């Protein structure tokens, strides 16, 4: 008899929710991440921890299927936590949520069983996509009929869809505005960005405001001229964590 093909069952009613421990040292970010997790069907927040020690205690208190893990914790690096839980026999999967862009850290995380990385700052849509794909991978059951079946199961983790931009924004223009802002050490205005990029002032401002909403830029009013103050935008450096 031929081996049954892998099947994916996504119905929350057919299986218990995936229990997620949110590990984040920033209380505001931790609350936001927990809120995001709770909004994704098939997932439930098992707890929130703000340090490596709290995480280990939470794992000992009850079952956890997935860690949403900040890599920079006050009492040790997140990957040290992963080593500790593996040594203690915990089998929870890990999605790293971090501002770290060091690919050496990414490689080390993969070797320890980190299944995905989500770079800060991110939107709910981005995290929802990663969690949904993780659920698809986790729900695959049965015996693979061949290499294609295995590849399809793994692709759920490895090929997430890019997060959709707000209506009316395009990725190439966002990239150009982002580059212009990052290359302006003293910041810029919508008018200056528009002149540099050959786009309208209104368009430049929409993209700059999007970067502010995403936490990648800040705006301050610029006084000293007649009329309403002009908004000044500055790129925000990446905070570790």
């Amino acid at each position: 008899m031929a081996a049954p093909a892998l099947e994916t069952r996504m119905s929350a009613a057919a299986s218990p929710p995936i229990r997620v421990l949110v590990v984040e040292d920033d209380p505001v970010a931790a609350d936001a991440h927990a809120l995001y997790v709770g909004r994704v069907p098939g997932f439930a927040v098992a707890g929130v921890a703000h340090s490596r020690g709290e995480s280990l205690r939470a794992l000992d208190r009850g079952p956890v299927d997935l860690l949403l893990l900040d890599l920079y914790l006050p009492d040790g690096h997140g990957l040290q936590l992963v080593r500790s839980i593996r040594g203690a026999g915990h089998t929870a999967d890990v999605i790293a949520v971090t501002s770290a862009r060091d690919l050496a850290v990414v490689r080390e995380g993969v070797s320890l069983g980190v299944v995905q990385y989500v770079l800060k700052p991110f939107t709910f849509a981005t995290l929802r996509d990663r969690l949904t794909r993780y659920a698809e991978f986790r729900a695959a059951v049965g015996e693979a009929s061949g290499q294609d079946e295995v590849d399809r199961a793994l692709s759920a983790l490895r090929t997430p869809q890019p997060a959709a931009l707000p209506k009316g924004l395009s990725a190439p223009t966002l990239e150009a505005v982002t580059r212009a802002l990052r290359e302006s050490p003293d910041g810029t205005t919508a008018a200056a960005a528009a002149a540099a990029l050959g786009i309208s002032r209104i368009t430049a401002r929409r993209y700059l405001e999007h970067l502010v909403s995403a936490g990648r830029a800040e705006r301050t009013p610029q006084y000293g001229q007649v009329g309403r103050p002009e908004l000044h935008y500055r790129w925000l450096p990446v905070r570790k964590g």
Side-chain angles (χ1 to χ4, degrees):
M1 181 180 295
L6 284 168
E7 297 177 356
T8 302
R9 293 194 294 268
M10 293 297 297
S11 172
S15 59
I18 296 171
R19 297 156 296 193
V20 182
L21 176 63
V22 175
V23 184
E24 166 64 59
D25 68 321
D26 183 337
V28 175
D31 289 345
H33 296 171
L35 179 64
Y36 283 176
V37 170
R39 290 172 58 190
V40 181
F43 288 84
V45 178
V48 175
H50 302 295
S51 67
R52 179 182 173 191
E54 285 185 24
S55 303
L56 292 171
R57 290 191 290 273
L59 286 165
D60 288 336
R61 283 196 299 267
V64 171
D65 303 308
L66 177 68
L67 269 70
L68 199 59
L69 175 64
D70 178 24
L71 290 189
Y72 289 92
L73 301 172
D75 54 351
H77 196 277
L79 294 185
Q80 293 176 341
L81 172 61
V82 179
R83 293 190 190 92
S84 297
I85 66 175
R86 295 295 182 245
H90 294 294
T91 59
D93 290 320
V94 178
I95 294 179
V97 178
T98 179
S99 294
R101 287 163 168 78
D102 186 345
L103 291 180
V105 173
V106 174
R107 288 194 296 272
E108 183 179 2
V110 170
S111 71
L112 293 172
V114 175
V115 296
Q116 285 194 1
Y117 277 80
V118 181
L119 291 180
K120 298 178 182 177
F122 57 87
T123 63
F124 168 66
T126 297
L127 183 60
R128 179 182 58 197
D129 175 75
R130 301 310 193 272
L131 291 178
T132 300
R133 286 175 172 273
Y134 168 75
E136 291 174 357
F137 171 76
R138 183 183 175 88
V141 296
E143 184 176 345
S145 60
Q147 184 68 50
D148 288 346
E149 293 279 4
V150 174
D151 290 343
R152 278 197 292 274
L154 291 175
S155 70
L157 291 175
R158 302 308 179 196
T159 56
Q161 295 296 321
L165 289 173
K167 185 177 180 180
L169 300 189
S170 72
T173 304
L174 177 60
E175 182 179 353
V177 173
T178 299
R179 187 184 309 111
L181 186 59
R182 295 186 67 174
E183 292 175 353
S184 302
D186 298 325
T188 188
T189 63
L197 298 172
I199 58 179
S200 73
R201 183 175 181 275
I202 294 176
T203 297
R205 182 171 180 176
R206 286 191 65 200
Y207 282 91
L208 289 167
E209 287 294 324
H210 171 72
L211 292 172
V212 171
S213 299
R216 302 312 300 128
E218 66 176 3
R219 74 167 99 75
T220 54
Q222 196 173 56
Y223 296 95
Q225 297 178 349
V226 178
R228 297 177 61 186
E230 188 170 17
L231 294 176
H232 192 78
Y233 298 87
R234 186 175 67 86
W235 181 258
L236 287 177
V238 173
R239 181 187 75 86
K240 286 188 175 183

